[in-house]
Amino acid sequence: MRINVPCTQPAHYGMAVASAVKAGVLVLTTTLPQHYITGRQQLAPTVSAEYEPCAVALQFPTFRAYPLEPACDAWCEFPVKDRANAVVQWLMAAEQHPEMMQGAWLLLLESDYVWMKPLALPGSAHDLAVQGYGFSYDYINPQYPDAAQVMRQMCPECDVKQLPHSGPSPVLLRPHELAMVAPDWEIYSAWIENNEQARNVLGWVREMYAWCAAVHKNGVKLTYEHPPKSKLMSQPPHDWVQGEAAILHYTWGTLYFKDSKEFWRFDKRDYTAKEHELKVPKFPLPPQPWQEGWKLQDGVAVNHDLHQLLTAMLTQMNKASAGLPVITPAA
């Protein structure tokens, strides 16, 4: 089974440098699990770049969508407002160039992911009784009273009680299912951006709510799971174990403290310099061995399982970093 893996980036940040670092790690870790894939699946990475070409386009197959907000190359208030439109552009291009769509399954990812093992597929994509995967986020709640009011206004035909607690990544679905969802995802994303109340209520994750409404409206059925049962993803340090997940997501920074003093950190926000784009650095591993008494930035104790998970994730990222070339800037 062949899977298309489009990565929409920049993800969460308008800074192309940070996205190039993350996308480089993502794509290289995509190749690492293939060494022990037994033929059940083959990953075909396709990076969808939303803004001006950056280092990613020099290293990997890249589709460049023309931006609605060119300023987001440097910084803008909400860079992912272009994401749905960029995916629609990618789908339109794939309709004209079918070779861009090589898989029966389609896996939507963001750039700050790390592949740890092959994804266990739910079954044949040709069997329409088989559902794809979505991820259930703790912080997406369309049923929350203020959010529910916005969702009803945006999508009167939606049953708010049935809306998923999800988003557009990670998602495993069929190409025709994405083609059904994407136009409404784009429409709802634009509706939210043009509605001050909706922007204020739904906040930084508002395009995720747009995705939830579009999936529900179009009747696309996915299996939603939380870690550690999720086949898709785990998110350290929020999640302490990988569980059944194929991917780790480093959306939050991880800071270690002892006696109220920080002594180790990993945060993607620290890697935004131009030099990081030209050569992805080696990331610092957590101190070894683990010791009791260490705490995270929120005061939660660092247990042994979390420490081991962070060590495994950063080790995998460093394997990818070692395989990325040094890029010579254009004259």
Side-chain angles (χ1 to χ4, degrees):
M1 182 71 68
R2 191 170 176 86
I3 308 176
N4 268 318
V5 188
C7 162
T8 57
Q9 62 89 23
H12 295 304
Y13 299 95
M15 293 173 287
V17 170
S19 295
V21 172
K22 294 181 291 184
V25 170
L26 169 67
V27 175
L28 262 291
T29 59
T30 298
T31 68
L32 295 176
Q34 293 189 50
H35 293 304
Y36 48 87
I37 289 177
T38 60
R40 182 181 178 190
Q41 65 187 66
Q42 180 181 2
L43 302 179
T46 305
V47 179
S48 175
E50 297 179 13
Y51 304 104
E52 291 291 335
C54 63
V56 173
L58 302 176
Q59 301 177 69
F60 313 114
T62 302
F63 172 77
R64 180 188 166 210
Y66 288 90
L68 300 174
E69 298 287 340
C72 291
D73 271 359
W75 182 253
C76 61
E77 185 273 331
F78 190 61
V80 293
K81 70 173 67 174
D82 274 4
R83 181 179 291 170
N85 173 263
V87 171
V88 168
Q89 289 187 51
W90 181 72
L91 287 169
M92 293 173 66
E95 187 176 3
Q96 298 298 317
H97 302 279
E99 69 276 8
M100 293 175 59
M101 195 75 72
Q102 302 177 24
W105 285 111
L106 187 63
L107 181 61
L108 293 176
L109 303 177
E110 290 185 0
S111 54
D112 52 351
Y113 292 176
V114 181
W115 280 97
M116 301 300 291
K117 68 176 187 178
L119 175 65
L121 296 176
S124 172
H126 303 295
D127 181 355
L128 296 183
V130 175
Q131 294 185 358
Y133 296 141
F135 186 81
S136 189
Y137 287 95
D138 293 342
Y139 52 82
I140 300 296
N141 185 3
Q143 290 80 42
Y144 187 78
D146 288 347
Q149 181 180 356
V150 170
M151 301 303 279
R152 291 190 184 97
Q153 184 181 359
M154 179 178 71
C155 182
E157 60 269 53
C158 287
D159 181 354
V160 172
K161 295 180 180 179
Q162 299 300 316
L163 292 177
H165 297 220
S166 192
S169 177
V171 177
L172 180 76
L173 75 177
R174 298 166 179 85
H176 81 268
E177 292 171 327
L178 180 62
M180 292 166 57
V181 171
D184 284 321
W185 178 31
E186 181 182 18
I187 290 170
Y188 293 148
S189 294
W191 184 91
I192 293 170
E193 291 308 306
N194 290 310
N195 186 302
E196 183 178 2
Q197 179 192 10
R199 293 197 309 272
N200 292 336
V201 169
L202 303 180
W204 185 248
V205 292
R206 50 191 182 261
E207 57 93 27
M208 297 174 71
Y209 281 92
W211 171 269
C212 294
V215 167
H216 173 68
K217 178 186 174 184
N218 288 280
V220 174
K221 303 296 184 182
L222 302 171
T223 298
Y224 297 97
E225 295 176 317
H226 291 275
K229 292 297 184 181
S230 172
K231 310 298 188 300
L232 289 171
M233 187 172 74
S234 182
Q235 302 185 96
H238 177 71
D239 301 312
W240 294 350
V241 296
Q242 181 176 335
E244 299 181 28
I247 295 167
L248 297 180
H249 182 202
Y250 52 95
T251 187
W252 293 287
T254 304
L255 284 62
Y256 277 20
F257 286 80
K258 184 176 182 179
D259 299 327
S260 301
K261 294 183 178 179
E262 179 189 319
F263 67 95
W264 177 83
R265 65 184 287 136
F266 170 70
D267 192 327
K268 65 186 179 183
R269 299 155 189 83
D270 294 338
Y271 299 94
T272 59
K274 185 68 176 179
E275 63 193 64
H276 299 144
E277 180 184 27
L278 301 177
K279 174 53 183 172
V280 176
K282 184 176 182 179
F283 302 102
L285 298 181
Q288 305 295 334
W290 167 82
Q291 297 178 22
E292 290 191 21
W294 294 350
K295 295 184 182 297
L296 297 173
Q297 61 267 34
D298 59 0
V300 174
V302 177
N303 64 31
H304 186 261
D305 286 342
L306 174 59
H307 184 74
Q308 293 295 98
L309 182 61
L310 291 166
T311 301
M313 180 183 75
L314 287 161
T315 297
Q316 185 82 330
M317 292 173 69
N318 283 335
K319 290 179 183 178
S321 173
L324 290 167
V326 177
I327 298 173
T328 302

